[in-house]
Amino acid sequence: MTEREILFDLLRNGVSPVHAVLHCERRLASAGFRRLYYEDAWELSPGGCYYMIHHDTTLFAFTVGETWDEGSAPSGAASRRRSRAPQIRLAAAHTDYPCLKIKPSPDVASNGYAQVNVEVYGGAILNTWLDRPLGVAGRIAVRSEDPFCPQIIPYASDRNLFTIPNLAIHMNREVNKGVELNKQVDMLPVAALLPKDGKEGDFLAFLAEELSIRKEDILDYELTVYCTEEPEFVGINDDFISSPRLDNLTSCSALVSALLKGRRSGGINLIALFDHEEVGSSTKQGAGSILLHDLLLRMLKGLGRESSAQSDLYQSMFLSVDVAHGVHPNQAGKSDITNKPVPGRGICIKEASAQSYATDCEAVAVVQQLCEAGGIAYQRFVNRSDQPGGGTLGAIASALLPAKTVDIGVPLLAMHSARELMGSADQEALAALAKRFFESESRL
Ligand code: ZN
């Protein structure tokens, strides 16, 4: 399969963070990766491939080399910095995306319609969610005999359950001047038409039937309302991919491919696919937790490298992989004046002196040299000086790691729309760079 086909597979299946993790897990498990559980003792061996899942929505996977190359101190100017090729190479992305989440007590009945109560998760462009076919996916907590161990069931509807209709232009003639949508009033999806007999909607009864369980046994859930539209090629030369969830399944897809294919003889390669990036990452399964640092120390201990763990970590390198902003065809003035990435012309290296993107000239130079050695196209991204722009998990995770860090990703248009747009050629470039990052020995 090509990287684009692999991406399309994840875009279709990764409809919630739970399902993105399940899909990536399937790829890893079928390639022989062995699952580890945090609560167990770990026995790691050279040449081993492992993964771990945290709260169903964050996934770590790593490969251990057959050897551990201590490296020789480089000569010349570099020797004063004692730098050498990192033996621990980390790359991270996120599994979540801006969307709507279903609240508890979900049923709303109004004027003949059954609706569900939702809240907005992350920085969604709200109007793009109108008039779309929508499904529901996530996980459901079900009553069990042991109150501390509720049964957790993943669920994804296999059809369109909801839609949020726009208001007709005849009822708001000012609509094309811009409409402010109220998150509580205007974003409630319609689920059904109510019968005239006064019977109300019952979303939990529907869920119970879907899962073949009793409604009373549904205790809680984390359910994402997702856009059910398919990923598609767009353009007279198929130059674009248009799809829901490109931010950041492009990166998750490329990192799993890179870990599966990019092997080298020594050290550790690790990918971390975190939840909760779109709400700030400071959660138990987000990049702002101690989890990654803790996991690395535990891995090194499991490999008998406890005494040199701090030094190993200090020499590690971290790729934070998330989408960048391509220059907009109708709004080029929103981009920086000298750095205007175009979709399809390669991955972006992202920098911000405010450190909203991890910015480290040493790490940037590493990526540039890896791209040049592999013939991989890259571009530079910075925000306009009068636009704050977004941030990524790179700056947050690297605050807990003493690693060289760089933010990279494919350029995107319509970021945080229900349907986003990328250049078709860029997925192969991203996967190729991530693979090269994992497999390259010290000398290119
Ligand atoms: Zn993102």
Side-chain angles (χ1 to χ4, degrees):
M1 280 172 91
T2 65
E3 288 303 326
R4 280 184 245 175
E5 289 166 338
I6 292 170
L7 170 63
F8 272 43
D9 227 16
L10 179 58
L11 291 168
R12 290 191 182 101
N13 288 288
V15 291
S16 76
V18 172
H19 292 83
V21 164
L22 281 171
H23 187 80
C24 293
E25 179 190 17
R26 274 196 292 276
R27 286 185 70 195
L28 294 162
S30 64
F33 279 61
R34 191 159 65 80
R35 183 165 181 175
L36 299 172
Y37 293 87
Y38 211 75
E39 57 271 30
D40 295 345
W42 292 0
E43 282 180 27
L44 308 180
S45 42
C49 308
Y50 308 93
Y51 71 94
M52 195 190 82
I53 292 172
H54 199 54
H55 293 284
D56 295 331
T57 58
T58 288
L59 179 143
F60 299 93
F62 59 95
T63 58
V64 182
E66 295 286 353
T67 60
W68 197 282
D69 178 12
E70 298 296 341
S72 52
S75 59
S79 66
R80 285 194 291 278
R81 297 177 50 77
R82 297 167 55 82
S83 63
R84 53 176 65 124
Q87 289 296 292
I88 301 177
R89 300 187 194 171
L90 317 165
H94 64 89
T95 58
D96 61 326
Y97 65 96
C99 61
L100 306 173
K101 300 265 186 183
I102 301 182
K103 290 181 175 179
S105 312
D107 297 311
V108 177
S110 68
N111 303 298
Y113 298 100
Q115 294 179 271
V116 287
N117 191 7
V118 295
E119 61 183 320
V120 176
Y121 175 86
I125 304 177
L126 296 181
N127 68 49
T128 64
W129 285 80
L130 306 182
D131 304 328
R132 305 261 180 189
L134 303 171
V136 171
R139 60 181 194 153
I140 296 164
V142 175
R143 194 179 306 283
S144 64
E145 289 188 358
D146 178 349
F148 285 97
C149 298
Q151 190 189 357
I152 304 296
I153 306 176
Y155 169 73
S157 64
D158 56 5
R159 61 195 176 93
N160 305 322
L161 300 181
F162 304 151
T163 191
I164 311 169
N166 240 309
L167 188 64
I169 193 168
H170 315 85
M171 295 178 176
N172 179 9
R173 294 283 181 188
E174 305 288 291
V175 64
N176 289 326
K177 293 181 180 168
V179 174
E180 186 179 347
L181 295 170
N182 181 289
K183 290 177 181 175
Q184 184 63 71
V185 175
D186 297 310
M187 299 307 294
L188 298 190
V190 175
L193 292 170
L194 292 173
K196 276 189 179 164
D197 62 10
K199 222 169 131 197
E200 300 206 340
D202 193 340
F203 182 67
L204 294 189
F206 164 79
L207 270 186
E209 204 176 315
E210 288 276 281
L211 299 170
S212 304
I213 57 174
R214 295 186 318 159
K215 177 186 164 186
E216 309 80 74
D217 289 338
I218 296 178
L219 296 170
D220 198 27
Y221 44 77
E222 293 162 14
L223 288 175
T224 296
V225 176
Y226 73 93
C227 176
T228 61
E229 293 170 355
E230 290 274 306
E232 307 271 5
F233 287 105
V234 170
I236 56 176
N237 300 315
D238 286 348
D239 284 335
F240 302 100
I241 295 170
S242 166
S243 176
R245 303 176 288 282
L246 290 176
D247 176 6
N248 187 13
L249 296 186
T250 58
S251 307
C252 293
S253 180
L255 291 189
V256 174
S257 291
L259 190 71
L260 293 176
K261 296 175 191 163
R263 297 291 174 88
R264 67 184 194 287
S265 55
I268 290 171
N269 291 332
L270 179 144
I271 62 169
L273 309 181
F274 287 110
D275 194 5
H276 294 159
E277 193 273 345
E278 300 293 358
V279 290
S281 295
S282 295
T283 70
K284 66 189 181 307
Q285 68 254 54
S289 76
I290 59 157
L291 204 55
L292 179 57
H293 188 264
D294 200 36
L295 186 83
L296 287 165
L297 288 180
R298 195 163 168 191
M299 280 163 47
L300 291 167
K301 189 176 167 193
L303 292 167
R305 296 191 62 82
E306 201 168 5
S307 62
S308 58
Q310 303 297 345
S311 144
D312 290 339
L313 282 185
Y314 189 77
Q315 294 172 71
S316 61
M317 180 166 168
F318 183 38
L319 279 189
S320 163
V321 191
D322 202 349
V323 290
H325 295 290
V327 60
H328 192 283
N330 301 334
Q331 294 284 339
K334 293 287 185 187
S335 291
D336 179 54
I337 58 171
T338 59
N339 297 278
K340 298 173 191 276
V342 177
R345 292 193 190 164
I347 62 120
C348 288
I349 300 173
K350 304 187 281 181
E351 292 183 72
S353 61
Q355 301 294 328
S356 49
Y357 302 125
T359 299
D360 169 339
C361 76
E362 196 174 349
V364 169
V366 171
V367 168
Q368 288 174 294
Q369 296 193 90
L370 291 175
C371 284
E372 283 162 15
I376 300 162
Y378 71 90
Q379 313 177 72
R380 307 295 292 265
F381 175 82
V382 286
N383 291 307
R384 264 185 75 95
S385 304
D386 52 5
Q387 300 263 355
T392 65
L393 60 79
I396 295 162
S398 64
L400 301 164
L401 281 174
K404 285 192 277 288
T405 307
V406 57
D407 258 299
I408 62 163
V410 300
L412 211 68
L413 298 176
M415 194 187 295
H416 290 194
S417 168
R419 197 168 181 109
E420 300 167 319
L421 194 69
M422 68 180 278
S424 304
D426 294 333
Q427 188 64 21
E428 308 287 340
L430 182 65
L433 170 61
K435 175 170 175 277
R436 193 158 267 270
F437 172 68
F438 283 144
E439 74 186 3
S440 293
E441 305 288 350
S442 303
R443 299 218 164 269
L444 295 168

